[in-house]
């Protein structure tokens, strides 16, 4: 926990999600799964705002976001930041699916 009481992992997740949401909103191109990405980013933000997100739900949202915007190379740096922020909650899970 930080001096302010918020888990630094939550702070990092909220910051990464906010950057990707802003970048997605500013992206001029339309793509079929944009709504899915926007909804899952909102879900990630809500989970982080609650304080201690559920790791399986974080990972599910990350997979949906990556699937929705993974082919949009302009959003790749921000997507990578979100992935790293999710990994702070326990790293990659192997062998579960």
């Amino acid at each position: 926990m930080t001096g302010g009481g918020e888990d630094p992992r939550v702070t990092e997740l909220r910051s990464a999600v906010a950057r990707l949401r802003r970048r997605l909103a500013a992206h001029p191109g339309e793509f079929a799964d944009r709504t899915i990405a926007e909804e899952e980013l909102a879900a990630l933000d809500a989970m982080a705002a609650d304080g201690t997100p559920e790791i399986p739900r974080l990972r599910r949202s990350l997979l949906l976001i990556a699937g929705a915007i993974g082919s949009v190379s302009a959003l790749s740096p921000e997507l990578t930041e979100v992935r790293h922020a999710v990994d702070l909650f326990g790293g990659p899970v192997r062998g579960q699916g």
Side-chain angles (χ1 to χ4, degrees), residues 7-95:
D7 183 331
R9 300 172 303 170
V10 171
T11 303
E12 181 62 29
L13 179 60
R14 293 191 80 194
S15 296
V17 167
R19 284 188 293 273
L20 181 53
R21 288 178 91 180
R22 282 192 305 269
R23 186 67 190 257
L24 180 59
H27 185 69
E30 284 299 320
F31 47 95
D33 294 331
R34 184 181 194 121
T35 301
I36 293 170
E38 290 168 344
E39 289 172 356
E40 289 304 318
L41 284 166
L44 278 179
D45 188 49
M47 283 186 275
D50 285 343
T52 307
E54 295 178 31
I55 295 169
R57 180 66 175 107
L58 285 177
R59 296 197 176 289
R60 180 182 177 279
S61 288
L62 177 61
L63 286 173
L64 288 169
I65 293 164
I69 65 174
S71 65
V72 183
S73 61
L75 302 173
S76 182
E78 289 82 6
L79 178 58
T80 298
E81 289 179 14
V82 171
R83 183 181 58 85
H84 287 304
V86 168
D87 286 348
L88 293 173
F89 287 89
V93 176
R94 304 271 185 225

